[in-house]
């Protein structure tokens, strides 16, 4: 079975000095973050790589990876937005839907500035081979709470069979406001790595088109993949498989995070 991984690498971070976070060198041999992630996916057994790039990341990625990496073919698609009407792109859901015309096989999608570990890719690839339904990796929320401020996370409400149709983005979560938000440190959250199917992707794209029409005059609003996926699951009477993992997910959000990743990778 051919299985693709879609890496969302269109964005750059103003908080990170306008750099391409995923190309930041964090490995012991100066490997970029995305190189490490791609290598993890290849070891897990993927057959194709799709990079969703942006206007400023397209050239650096094509120069670095070309059309093939370690024998795995690479395709690129460009996430764009109208600079006259928008201050930034429409978000991760728009980034994913930008790749819809390149998808002709089961796929895993993930953020290109996070490291999920080979185990996460392997779990989802095995799920595709065995069931070929949609699934997500769940991480315990408590592992991502700190004293340095709140985090935004897609919370998964999981039943006794490790299934969910409840996925909701929660903003500014801290240890202090967990009770207020009716959350706990043991709740599972989506860190951005999941497997979908073409049918669900088509439904997401329809939602995205309408969202853009309804918010045509808003310069900053983003269409949230987590929330819209949850709505589609409920509307379809469908549930998504959740695989809890103790593996760490690390990434670059703020200046200095690259140093934390370097320390983590040396362990």
């Amino acid at each position: 079975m051919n299985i693709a991984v879609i890496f969302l690498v269109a964005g750059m971070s103003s908080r990170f000095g306008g750099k391409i976070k995923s190309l930041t060198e964090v490995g012991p041999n100066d490997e970029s973050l995305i190189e490490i992630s791609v290598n993890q996916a290849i070891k897990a057994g993927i057959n194709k790589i799709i990079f969703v790039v942006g206007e400023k990341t397209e050239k650096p990625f094509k120069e670095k990876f070309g059309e093939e990496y370690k024998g795995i073919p690479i395709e690129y698609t460009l996430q764009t937005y109208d600079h006259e009407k928008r201050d930034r792109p429409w978000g991760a859901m728009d980034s994913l839907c930008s790749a819809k015309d390149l998808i002709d096989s089961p796929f895993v999608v993930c953020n290109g500035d996070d490291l999920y570990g080979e185990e996460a890719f392997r779990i989802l690839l095995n799920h595709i081979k065995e069931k070929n339904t949609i699934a997500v990796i769940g991480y315990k929320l408590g592992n991502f709470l700190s004293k340095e401020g709140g985090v935004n996370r897609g919370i998964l409400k999981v039943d006794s069979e490790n299934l969910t149709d409840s996925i909701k983005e929660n903003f500014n979560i801290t240890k202090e406001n967990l009770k207020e938000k009716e959350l706990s440190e043991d709740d599972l959250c989506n860190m951005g790595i999941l497997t979908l199917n073409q049918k669900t992707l088509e439904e997401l794209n329809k939602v995205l088109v309408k969202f853009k029409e309804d918010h045509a005059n808003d310069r900053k609003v983003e269409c949230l993949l987590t929330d819209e996926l949850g709505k589609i699951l409920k509307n379809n009477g469908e549930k998504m498989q959740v695989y809890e993992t103790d593996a760490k997910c690390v990434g670059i959000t703020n200046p200095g995070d690259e140093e934390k990743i370097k320390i983590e990778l040396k362990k």
Side-chain angles (χ1 to χ4, degrees):
M1 178 184 290
N2 289 324
I3 302 175
V5 173
I6 303 172
F7 290 97
L8 308 181
V9 293
M12 299 176 68
S13 176
S14 57
R15 283 183 292 179
F16 197 60
K19 296 180 181 179
I20 302 174
K21 297 183 292 183
S22 51
L23 292 179
T24 301
E25 295 176 349
V26 295
N29 298 308
D30 296 327
E31 304 97 329
S32 64
L33 187 149
I34 191 66
E35 281 181 280
I36 297 171
S37 190
V38 167
N39 286 332
Q40 291 172 346
I42 290 174
K43 287 180 181 178
I46 64 161
N47 308 100
K48 179 179 176 180
I49 297 166
I50 298 174
F51 285 132
V52 181
V53 293
E55 294 171 356
K56 294 183 178 180
T57 63
E58 181 178 19
K59 183 178 178 182
F61 264 84
K62 286 185 175 180
E63 288 178 345
K64 186 169 188 62
F65 288 96
E67 297 180 358
E68 184 179 284
Y69 181 78
K70 294 186 176 180
I72 305 297
I74 299 175
E75 293 191 57
Y76 299 85
T77 187
L78 183 64
Q79 180 187 21
T80 61
Y81 65 99
D82 188 338
H83 294 265
E84 296 289 328
K85 298 180 179 179
R86 296 278 301 173
D87 295 333
R88 59 191 182 201
W90 289 90
M93 183 161 153
D94 180 58
S95 183
L96 169 60
C97 289
S98 298
K100 62 182 175 58
D101 293 334
L102 296 181
I103 298 170
D104 56 6
S105 66
F107 67 93
V108 173
V109 59
C110 64
N111 296 320
D113 51 11
D114 290 317
L115 290 178
Y116 301 97
E118 183 182 337
E119 177 191 3
F121 287 107
R122 193 174 298 281
I123 288 171
L124 292 181
L125 265 64
N126 287 338
H127 175 85
I128 290 172
K129 292 173 183 177
E130 293 172 8
K131 299 182 179 180
N132 201 15
T133 59
I134 58 179
V136 65
I137 301 293
Y139 299 84
K140 282 195 175 180
L141 175 61
N143 292 335
F144 302 97
L145 300 178
S146 70
K147 298 178 181 179
E148 301 173 0
V151 297
N152 303 333
R153 295 288 181 263
I155 304 299
L156 307 165
K157 295 298 183 182
V158 183
D159 66 18
S160 59
E161 297 180 329
N162 295 319
L163 298 170
T164 186
D165 63 357
S166 177
I167 312 168
K168 181 68 179 175
E169 192 76 17
N170 278 253
F171 300 94
N172 194 32
I173 307 170
T174 65
K175 289 188 177 182
E176 290 72 26
N177 66 17
L178 283 174
K179 187 175 181 180
E180 174 190 334
K181 291 180 175 288
E182 299 181 342
L183 299 173
S184 81
E185 293 193 20
D186 289 329
D187 280 335
L188 298 183
C189 62
N190 164 35
M191 292 300 294
I193 181 168
L194 61 160
T195 174
L196 299 176
N197 54 40
Q198 289 165 298
K199 177 179 175 291
T200 305
L201 184 57
E202 289 171 3
E203 293 185 61
L204 287 169
N205 190 63
K206 290 177 182 177
V207 171
L208 177 66
V209 170
K210 188 176 187 306
F211 185 90
K212 288 182 176 182
E213 292 173 351
D214 293 343
H215 298 83
N217 296 320
D218 193 316
R219 299 189 64 88
K220 295 183 178 180
V221 68
E222 295 182 6
C223 191
L224 298 175
L225 174 59
T226 300
D227 288 359
E228 299 304 334
L229 179 57
K231 292 176 187 176
I232 287 174
L233 291 174
K234 285 188 178 296
N235 289 340
N236 292 347
E238 187 177 4
K239 291 190 176 183
M240 179 164 63
Q241 186 76 48
V242 180
Y243 290 96
E244 181 178 350
T245 177
D246 292 328
K248 289 188 177 181
C249 173
V250 294
I252 294 179
T253 302
N254 299 306
D257 285 351
E258 68 275 23
E259 297 303 323
K260 298 177 183 177
I261 293 177
K262 289 177 182 179
I263 293 172
E264 188 66 35
L265 290 176
K266 288 180 181 179
K267 291 182 180 179

